[in-house]
Amino acid sequence: MIPVRPLLFLGSALFAIGVFGVLTRRNAIAILLSIELILNAASLNFVVLGQASGHPQGQAFALFVIALAACEAAVGLAIVLGLYRTANTVLADQVNLLRG
Amino acid sequence: MQPPIVLAQAGLWFLSALVIAGAILVVTLGNLFRAALSLGVVLVGVAGLFLLVGAEFLAFVQILIYVGAILTLVVFAIMLTARVHRPAGSTAAASQWPAAVASLALFALLACVIAAIPVPTPTAVGGAPVSLQELGRELITTLVLPFEVISVVFVASMVGAIAVAASPRQRRAQAPPSSSA
């Protein structure tokens, strides 16, 4: 017996905390960490509902979410490194010009 | 295989508390390195929840990829960029209260929706938790196109990440000599 509703509450709490982090953090890496929280909330919901309804696509889409999170982390951190090299800061609100 | 019901309840509460506490630390800690470590706690807790609902494969993938690869990458980036010894300036105090109100409102909205909708129960559907065989069969039959597209996306993003992160000195050395002349 899977406790579906408590786990869905947990997923939405995780999502809300991630949104709070994205809204308040200024460091670009910290924003990426908060986005990882949001992605984890989504994959937790996928897995719980997929397991509860006995459908394998819940786990499959959680797998896709994890793969895309890996892509997102790699590209995001590469952008942060490039940003640090050109603008010498990782604070998202200090980067206000598009020209490198 | 499902754990006994009392153990499952205790594990659920323990892992939920772990995940929520870790997540709050991730978004509030001023020291970025400690925030990354508490993200590791959250990821391990979510992997434990996957185990609890019977998704063993996902739990191992979560630990292998998230904790093993992504967190290592994040720690590398923190070491390369952030001034760890200067925790000030990582959060903006002015926007903290509106953001807290907004995210609490979001959580309240989601909780109301979750409390209102009917959730699927295993007894109603009659299915046992999905086995690894079913998941593998689904991935190579119905979902074979998304699976392949994900791998193409993965290769593209890795090449893009290397291209973006390569230092300008190396890029200039690899450029044809006519551009520098």
Side-chain angles (χ1 to χ4, degrees):
Chain A
M1 180 64 197
I2 297 169
V4 178
R5 224 184 280 269
L7 284 174
L8 290 183
F9 281 128
L10 178 68
S12 52
L14 205 55
F15 179 78
I17 293 172
V19 168
F20 175 77
V22 170
L23 288 176
T24 55
R25 287 289 197 176
R26 292 172 65 215
N27 192 313
I29 298 177
I31 294 175
L32 280 177
L33 293 185
S34 308
I35 291 175
E36 301 292 343
L37 286 183
I38 294 176
L39 290 174
N40 254 285
S43 65
L44 181 66
N45 278 3
F46 267 127
V47 170
V48 168
L49 286 175
Q51 290 293 95
S53 57
H55 204 287
Q57 285 191 1
Q59 282 193 55
F61 276 96
L63 211 56
F64 292 161
V65 168
I66 290 177
L68 283 179
C71 300
E72 172 259 335
V75 175
L77 292 173
I79 289 174
V80 169
L81 284 185
L83 194 66
Y84 186 69
R85 211 176 285 129
T86 51
N88 203 21
T89 181
V90 287
L91 300 184
D93 52 358
Q94 286 182 3
V95 183
N96 49 12
L97 82 167
L98 283 174
R99 193 164 44 81
Chain B
M1 191 189 112
Q2 291 295 306
I5 196 89
V6 181
L7 204 62
Q9 282 290 328
L12 173 71
W13 287 111
F14 173 70
L15 288 172
S16 304
L18 191 74
V19 165
I20 293 295
I24 289 173
L25 284 182
V26 168
V27 297
T28 53
L29 274 183
N31 189 325
L32 206 51
F33 187 72
R34 288 182 189 163
L37 289 188
S38 36
L39 180 70
V41 172
V42 174
L43 297 175
V44 171
V46 172
L49 288 171
F50 286 170
L51 273 183
L52 201 69
V53 299
E56 296 92 359
F57 179 64
L58 253 291
F60 294 131
V61 166
Q62 169 100 358
I63 288 184
L64 207 65
I65 295 182
Y66 256 117
V67 186
I70 295 181
L71 204 61
T72 313
L73 206 64
V74 168
V75 168
F76 256 101
I78 290 172
M79 292 295 186
L80 284 175
T81 61
R83 300 170 180 89
V84 178
H85 56 273
R86 202 192 61 184
S90 56
T91 53
S95 66
Q96 216 149 25
W97 287 111
V101 170
S103 51
L104 273 179
L106 182 65
F107 174 66
L109 180 70
L110 287 173
C112 288
V113 172
I114 290 169
I117 58 168
V119 295
T121 55
T123 52
V125 187
V130 181
S131 68
L132 185 53
Q133 284 85 4
E134 282 176 80
L135 175 63
R137 204 170 296 121
E138 189 79 9
L139 278 178
I140 58 167
T141 53
T142 314
L143 294 176
V144 65
L145 183 65
F147 192 72
E148 295 299 324
V149 169
I150 288 281
S151 29
V152 173
V153 168
F154 199 79
V155 172
S157 75
M158 286 305 144
V159 172
I162 293 171
V164 170
S167 70
R169 219 178 314 121
Q170 287 172 357
R171 220 177 294 152
R172 217 176 300 130
Q174 287 163 1
S178 62
S179 65
S180 61

